Amino acid sequence: MSHLHIPDGILSPFIWVSGYVITFVILYLILKKGESDSLRQKIPFTGIAAALMLIAMSVPLGIIPVHLSLASLTAILLGPGLGFLAVFSVNIILALVGHGGITLVGINTLVIGTEVFISSFLFRKVLIKMGIMSRTFLSVSLALIFSVALM
């Protein structure tokens, strides 16, 4: 799991406003591209995946300050567009309950969104000749490594 847990007011407005702008542009492109019946049919499944992601992100794993994300697995199941949409909605809810500042929603969506895009791309395009378990493990691991480096 890679995202920032800092309160509001720490980052300069240029950084967090830029994060929101880039996030909203990506969301606009996803929603513009997905105006079809196939998208509408996947919305309930996206909500279920987002709810599971929210539960996983809310529970710390013991004494180490990390928790599960399920963003990469959501991207593998839903695709990059709906996965990014689920990440955005989960980040808003987490920020509203004090899990990071509200100004960080855009930046956290971009950081976790990189996991979504990379894992989905690797799973669907690059590692296609591998078995399902190996493909899932490698795509999720590589996406997490990249998003941690980005963070």
Side-chain angles (χ1 to χ4, degrees):
M1 178 68 216
S2 58
H3 66 274
L4 302 173
H5 285 268
I6 57 178
D8 291 329
I10 301 295
L11 296 177
S12 72
F14 174 76
I15 293 172
W16 64 263
V17 169
S18 299
Y20 267 114
V21 169
I22 295 168
T23 298
F24 286 140
V25 167
I26 293 171
L27 287 171
Y28 173 78
L29 294 173
I30 289 168
L31 293 174
K32 182 84 169 159
K33 181 183 174 191
E35 291 178 348
S36 66
D37 289 334
S38 65
L39 176 71
R40 290 186 185 135
Q41 293 173 351
K42 292 181 181 178
I43 291 296
F45 188 52
T46 305
I48 293 168
L52 291 173
M53 195 185 323
L54 179 64
I55 292 168
M57 287 180 167
S58 301
V59 178
L61 295 177
I63 59 171
I64 53 176
V66 297
H67 42 83
L68 298 176
S69 166
L70 301 181
S72 294
L73 294 176
T74 300
I76 289 170
L77 293 173
L78 296 173
L82 291 175
F84 191 84
L85 193 63
V87 166
F88 177 70
S89 61
V90 167
N91 277 324
I92 287 176
I93 295 169
L94 287 173
L96 291 174
V97 296
H99 197 78
I102 195 73
T103 57
L104 294 175
V105 170
I107 293 171
N108 281 337
T109 301
L110 291 174
V111 170
I112 301 172
T114 58
E115 291 177 30
V116 167
F117 290 122
I118 290 171
S119 62
S120 180
F121 175 75
L122 290 174
F123 186 82
R124 295 169 188 262
K125 304 286 187 199
V126 177
L127 305 173
I128 199 89
K129 297 192 188 284
M130 300 177 80
I132 191 84
M133 294 300 286
S134 304
R135 205 163 74 177
T136 303
F137 178 77
L138 275 175
S139 62
V140 169
S141 298
L142 292 172
L144 282 171
I145 290 168
F146 186 81
S147 70
V148 168
L150 179 66
M151 186 180 66

